[in-house]
PDB file of all heavy atoms in Angstrom:
ATOM      1  N   LEU C 397      -6.536 -10.916 -15.195  1.00 97.00           N
ATOM      2  CA  LEU C 397      -5.402 -11.790 -15.507  1.00 97.00           C
ATOM      3  C   LEU C 397      -5.836 -13.050 -16.248  1.00 97.00           C
ATOM      4  O   LEU C 397      -6.860 -13.644 -15.944  1.00 97.00           O
ATOM      5  CB  LEU C 397      -4.706 -12.206 -14.209  1.00 97.00           C
ATOM      6  CG  LEU C 397      -4.158 -11.061 -13.354  1.00 97.00           C
ATOM      7  CD1 LEU C 397      -3.664 -11.591 -12.013  1.00 97.00           C
ATOM      8  CD2 LEU C 397      -3.029 -10.339 -14.086  1.00 97.00           C
ATOM      9  N   THR C 398      -5.030 -13.446 -17.224  1.00 97.00           N
ATOM     10  CA  THR C 398      -5.232 -14.739 -17.890  1.00 97.00           C
ATOM     11  C   THR C 398      -3.979 -15.561 -17.654  1.00 97.00           C
ATOM     12  O   THR C 398      -2.856 -15.075 -17.822  1.00 97.00           O
ATOM     13  CB  THR C 398      -5.361 -14.573 -19.428  1.00 97.00           C
ATOM     14  OG1 THR C 398      -5.869 -13.290 -19.710  1.00 97.00           O
ATOM     15  CG2 THR C 398      -6.214 -15.646 -20.032  1.00 97.00           C
ATOM     16  N   LYS C 399      -4.179 -16.817 -17.281  1.00 95.00           N
ATOM     17  CA  LYS C 399      -3.067 -17.718 -16.990  1.00 95.00           C
ATOM     18  C   LYS C 399      -2.470 -18.223 -18.300  1.00 95.00           C
ATOM     19  O   LYS C 399      -3.200 -18.496 -19.251  1.00 95.00           O
ATOM     20  CB  LYS C 399      -3.628 -18.896 -16.188  1.00 95.00           C
ATOM     21  CG  LYS C 399      -2.629 -19.582 -15.323  1.00 95.00           C
ATOM     22  CD  LYS C 399      -3.344 -20.689 -14.545  1.00 95.00           C
ATOM     23  CE  LYS C 399      -2.586 -21.029 -13.285  1.00 95.00           C
ATOM     24  NZ  LYS C 399      -3.338 -21.870 -12.386  1.00 95.00           N
ATOM     25  N   SER C 400      -1.163 -18.378 -18.322  1.00 91.00           N
ATOM     26  CA  SER C 400      -0.530 -18.951 -19.512  1.00 91.00           C
ATOM     27  C   SER C 400      -0.701 -20.471 -19.475  1.00 91.00           C
ATOM     28  O   SER C 400      -1.002 -21.039 -18.422  1.00 91.00           O
ATOM     29  CB  SER C 400       0.953 -18.632 -19.517  1.00 91.00           C
ATOM     30  OG  SER C 400       1.603 -19.441 -18.557  1.00 91.00           O
ATOM     31  N   ALA C 401      -0.484 -21.110 -20.595  1.00 87.00           N
ATOM     32  CA  ALA C 401      -0.656 -22.566 -20.692  1.00 87.00           C
ATOM     33  C   ALA C 401       0.291 -23.275 -19.729  1.00 87.00           C
ATOM     34  O   ALA C 401      -0.034 -24.325 -19.176  1.00 87.00           O
ATOM     35  CB  ALA C 401      -0.398 -23.012 -22.121  1.00 87.00           C
ATOM     36  N   SER C 402       1.451 -22.692 -19.479  1.00 84.00           N
ATOM     37  CA  SER C 402       2.467 -23.357 -18.656  1.00 84.00           C
ATOM     38  C   SER C 402       2.240 -23.218 -17.151  1.00 84.00           C
ATOM     39  O   SER C 402       2.934 -23.850 -16.366  1.00 84.00           O
ATOM     40  CB  SER C 402       3.826 -22.760 -18.980  1.00 84.00           C
ATOM     41  OG  SER C 402       3.848 -21.422 -18.548  1.00 84.00           O
ATOM     42  N   ASP C 403       1.254 -22.354 -16.741  1.00 81.00           N
ATOM     43  CA  ASP C 403       1.028 -22.122 -15.310  1.00 81.00           C
ATOM     44  C   ASP C 403       2.101 -21.251 -14.677  1.00 81.00           C
ATOM     45  O   ASP C 403       2.059 -20.995 -13.485  1.00 81.00           O
ATOM     46  CB  ASP C 403       1.026 -23.453 -14.528  1.00 81.00           C
ATOM     47  CG  ASP C 403      -0.389 -23.958 -14.316  1.00 81.00           C
ATOM     48  OD1 ASP C 403      -1.273 -23.537 -15.087  1.00 81.00           O
ATOM     49  OD2 ASP C 403      -0.591 -24.747 -13.380  1.00 81.00           O
ATOM     50  N   LEU C 404       3.097 -20.865 -15.438  1.00 92.00           N
ATOM     51  CA  LEU C 404       4.221 -20.130 -14.846  1.00 92.00           C
ATOM     52  C   LEU C 404       4.099 -18.634 -15.051  1.00 92.00           C
ATOM     53  O   LEU C 404       4.942 -17.877 -14.596  1.00 92.00           O
ATOM     54  CB  LEU C 404       5.537 -20.613 -15.454  1.00 92.00           C
ATOM     55  CG  LEU C 404       5.870 -22.071 -15.136  1.00 92.00           C
ATOM     56  CD1 LEU C 404       7.123 -22.504 -15.872  1.00 92.00           C
ATOM     57  CD2 LEU C 404       6.043 -22.243 -13.631  1.00 92.00           C
ATOM     58  N   ALA C 405       3.073 -18.204 -15.761  1.00 96.00           N
ATOM     59  CA  ALA C 405       2.928 -16.789 -16.046  1.00 96.00           C
ATOM     60  C   ALA C 405       1.460 -16.412 -16.182  1.00 96.00           C
ATOM     61  O   ALA C 405       0.608 -17.270 -16.391  1.00 96.00           O
ATOM     62  CB  ALA C 405       3.673 -16.454 -17.336  1.00 96.00           C
ATOM     63  N   TYR C 406       1.201 -15.109 -15.984  1.00 97.00           N
ATOM     64  CA  TYR C 406      -0.116 -14.550 -16.227  1.00 97.00           C
ATOM     65  C   TYR C 406       0.074 -13.297 -17.072  1.00 97.00           C
ATOM     66  O   TYR C 406       1.119 -12.644 -16.981  1.00 97.00           O
ATOM     67  CB  TYR C 406      -0.780 -14.104 -14.927  1.00 97.00           C
ATOM     68  CG  TYR C 406      -1.268 -15.216 -14.040  1.00 97.00           C
ATOM     69  CD1 TYR C 406      -0.400 -15.867 -13.167  1.00 97.00           C
ATOM     70  CD2 TYR C 406      -2.610 -15.594 -14.047  1.00 97.00           C
ATOM     71  CE1 TYR C 406      -0.856 -16.878 -12.328  1.00 97.00           C
ATOM     72  CE2 TYR C 406      -3.071 -16.605 -13.207  1.00 97.00           C
ATOM     73  CZ  TYR C 406      -2.197 -17.239 -12.357  1.00 97.00           C
ATOM     74  OH  TYR C 406      -2.644 -18.229 -11.529  1.00 97.00           O
ATOM     75  N   SER C 407      -0.946 -12.964 -17.864  1.00 97.00           N
ATOM     76  CA  SER C 407      -0.927 -11.716 -18.617  1.00 97.00           C
ATOM     77  C   SER C 407      -2.153 -10.908 -18.237  1.00 97.00           C
ATOM     78  O   SER C 407      -3.227 -11.491 -18.089  1.00 97.00           O
ATOM     79  CB  SER C 407      -1.019 -12.012 -20.119  1.00 97.00           C
ATOM     80  OG  SER C 407       0.265 -12.023 -20.651  1.00 97.00           O
ATOM     81  N   ALA C 408      -1.977  -9.599 -18.068  1.00 97.00           N
ATOM     82  CA  ALA C 408      -3.147  -8.748 -17.843  1.00 97.00           C
ATOM     83  C   ALA C 408      -3.741  -8.442 -19.210  1.00 97.00           C
ATOM     84  O   ALA C 408      -3.014  -8.129 -20.152  1.00 97.00           O
ATOM     85  CB  ALA C 408      -2.741  -7.473 -17.128  1.00 97.00           C
ATOM     86  N   GLU C 409      -5.085  -8.553 -19.291  1.00 97.00           N
ATOM     87  CA  GLU C 409      -5.745  -8.268 -20.574  1.00 97.00           C
ATOM     88  C   GLU C 409      -5.888  -6.771 -20.785  1.00 97.00           C
ATOM     89  O   GLU C 409      -5.965  -6.313 -21.914  1.00 97.00           O
ATOM     90  CB  GLU C 409      -7.185  -8.827 -20.566  1.00 97.00           C
ATOM     91  CG  GLU C 409      -7.294 -10.317 -20.399  1.00 97.00           C
ATOM     92  CD  GLU C 409      -8.712 -10.700 -19.949  1.00 97.00           C
ATOM     93  OE1 GLU C 409      -9.645  -9.874 -20.056  1.00 97.00           O
ATOM     94  OE2 GLU C 409      -8.852 -11.841 -19.473  1.00 97.00           O
TER      95      GLU C 409
END
Side-chain angles (χ1 to χ4, degrees):
L397 301 172
T398 333
K399 205 178 203 169
S400 74
S402 67
D403 264 21
L404 295 175
Y406 287 83
S407 264
E409 298 161 16

